[in-house]
Amino acid sequence: SMDTLIKHADIAMYHVKGNGKDGFQFFNNDMNEIYSRHMTLENEIRKALQGDQFRIYYQPQVNIETNEIFAMEALIRWDHPVQGTISPTEFMSIAEETGLILPIGDWVLQKACEDLNRWREAGLTDVRVVLNLSVCQLSQDNIVSNIINTLKHYDIPGDKLEIEITENVLMKDMDNCILKLSKLSDYGIKIAIDDFGTGYSSLSYLKRLPIDTIKIDRSFIHDMHSSEENSSIVIAIIAMAKGLNLNIISEG
């Protein structure tokens, strides 16, 4: 029937999107299971937002010279009441596609600021929180005012928040990204490039953006002792970062 044809074409389209776009896919029956899982998770994400099922886990960033924790990266986790812990790699892409990443991002911002405010009241005034921003979040017209107003609400200085974006996010709309990130930087908020070297790298953005930190992707760190080429890449990234007076995070 026409309805079935359109449904199957839609499923094939989502399959292409899930594999990085720029491709094509003929429908097959195995995709029905994937599509059903997609639709189920989308509905469950909506319930999770209403039912307080999301959690934030904090990954410390440590100064290797002093062994002191100087920042805490906020990582979202989903404690599903039936399915248990659901990996972000499974639900975040769906949240991005459906726009549900926006209320999730607002929740993470509020919760992280609540936690940071509580830590500051307990005397941990030197620690900052690190948050990830997706393409969908950064494209919002009110993203800058939303972040700054939330910091003001919890009486948190701008330099106690760091925003992480990936190179792929930058490439979506470079000029708009520069404008918004510059406004955040003017307020004192730190800017970091996540997974450096794995996206559509353009070194020109390093001098155009108010970047404070680059994070060397874990794949480079993991492989740096396996060959001279891999270690040379890490050495080159570190040398470049030092030349630009940027902080360096070694992932993994």
Side-chain angles (χ1 to χ4, degrees), residues 7-9 11-12 25-32:
K7 176 187 173 184
H8 288 180
I11 292 173
Q25 176 67 53
F26 291 106
F27 174 82
N28 63 66
N29 286 323
D30 292 339
M31 293 179 188
N32 266 325

Side-chain angles (χ1 to χ4, degrees), residues 107-208:
W107 178 84
V108 171
L109 175 63
Q110 291 285 339
K111 185 67 172 66
C113 286
E114 285 179 13
D115 291 340
L116 181 56
N117 185 50
R118 190 170 67 252
W119 298 340
R120 288 173 59 78
E121 290 177 349
L124 299 175
T125 56
D126 293 332
V127 175
R128 68 173 177 265
V129 161
V130 184
L131 301 179
N132 294 276
L133 277 191
S134 69
V135 174
C136 193
Q137 291 172 280
L138 197 55
S139 66
Q140 295 179 96
D141 292 335
N142 66 340
I143 185 64
V144 173
S145 60
N146 186 31
I147 291 173
I148 292 176
N149 289 338
T150 303
L151 290 176
K152 288 180 177 179
H153 176 76
Y154 289 99
D155 196 26
I156 296 173
D159 63 355
K160 297 307 175 186
L161 177 67
E162 183 167 285
I163 296 298
E164 274 189 13
I165 57 173
T166 64
E167 293 172 300
N168 292 344
V169 170
L170 286 174
M171 295 305 113
K172 296 294 183 181
D173 189 353
M174 177 70 78
D175 292 337
N176 195 32
C177 285
I178 291 173
L179 178 63
K180 291 178 178 178
L181 294 177
S182 295
K183 289 180 180 179
L184 292 173
S185 180
D186 289 342
Y187 192 73
I189 295 168
K190 306 297 182 184
I191 308 297
I193 301 296
D194 196 12
D195 301 334
F196 184 81
T198 61
Y200 303 104
S201 298
S202 173
L203 298 181
S204 63
Y205 71 68
L206 291 179
K207 66 179 183 181
R208 296 177 62 194

Side-chain angles (χ1 to χ4, degrees), residues 235-249:
I235 291 170
I237 293 174
I238 292 172
M240 181 195 65
K242 287 185 175 180
L244 294 171
N245 294 317
L246 300 175
N247 298 314
I248 308 163
I249 294 289

Side-chain angles (χ1 to χ4, degrees), residues 16-28:
V16 173
K17 284 186 174 182
N19 286 281
K21 304 182 180 181
D22 296 332
F24 69 92
Q25 176 67 53
F26 291 106
F27 174 82
N28 63 66

Side-chain angles (χ1 to χ4, degrees), residues 221-234:
I221 301 301
H222 182 266
D223 296 334
M224 68 182 179
H225 293 305
S226 62
S227 72
E228 186 175 336
E229 289 82 2
N230 289 329
S231 62
S232 295
I233 291 175
V234 175

